[in-house]
Amino acid sequence: MTTTVGDMLRTYPADLGGVDRQAMATCIEECLACAQACTACADACLSEGMVGELTKCIRTDMDCADVCTTTASVLSRHTGYDANVTRAVLRACATVCRACGDECASHADLHEHCRVCAEACRRCERACEELLASLG
């Protein structure tokens, strides 16, 4: 199965060096999926009757969505590539995904949207860590 992310990596005209294209594609896709899940979870939290008790969850969701979107953008740009910037962004993304996953997991028994979001955060965290490991 092909994806737009995979197709764009495959058709990039310059050499990507030793970058694991599959790990890169997976990471970009997981970042985008996580950003969507976090945005939707924050919105769902705002619709809950106990919204005041979900303030930290909403904030963490929004932070995670922003960092994941930024990470996907940085990973999608290859011209003038700086491995140190890429590593820093991946570390930040893994960190915020871990925090958001933990926060959402603490509400998962009460809110199904938090359970779904926590799972998306865990997948994105793993994808960031796997890409980091492949970069050396």
Side-chain angles (χ1 to χ4, degrees):
M1 179 165 91
T2 63
T3 65
T4 301
V5 173
D7 288 345
M8 291 306 295
L9 286 170
R10 183 180 50 76
T11 61
Y12 186 72
D15 182 19
L16 290 177
V19 173
D20 180 337
R21 289 176 190 238
Q22 184 56 54
M24 177 77 77
T26 298
C27 192
I28 293 168
E29 290 166 352
E30 292 297 347
C31 284
L32 294 171
C34 189
Q36 189 280 327
C38 289
T39 299
C41 186
D43 185 66
C45 285
L46 288 170
S47 296
E48 294 289 351
M50 58 187 284
V51 68
E53 297 173 32
L54 296 169
T55 303
K56 183 177 179 187
C57 190
I58 294 164
R59 169 61 189 263
T60 307
D61 280 336
M62 292 168 58
D63 288 347
C64 192
D66 288 345
V67 173
C68 287
T69 300
T70 298
T71 302
S73 294
V74 169
L75 293 177
S76 296
R77 294 188 290 263
H78 308 290
T79 304
Y81 172 76
D82 185 331
N84 291 323
V85 170
T86 299
R87 285 186 190 94
V89 170
L90 285 167
R91 283 187 201 102
C93 193
T95 298
V96 75
C97 284
R98 186 176 314 109
C100 192
D102 290 348
E103 179 61 27
C104 282
S106 73
H107 305 286
D109 58 332
L110 296 174
H111 307 292
E112 183 71 6
H113 55 85
C114 286
R115 183 193 62 74
V116 172
C117 188
E119 290 174 3
C121 289
R122 301 292 187 225
R123 285 190 306 271
C124 189
E125 178 186 3
R126 278 191 304 276
C128 287
E129 289 175 351
E130 288 172 10
L131 182 55
L132 259 171
S134 78
L135 294 176

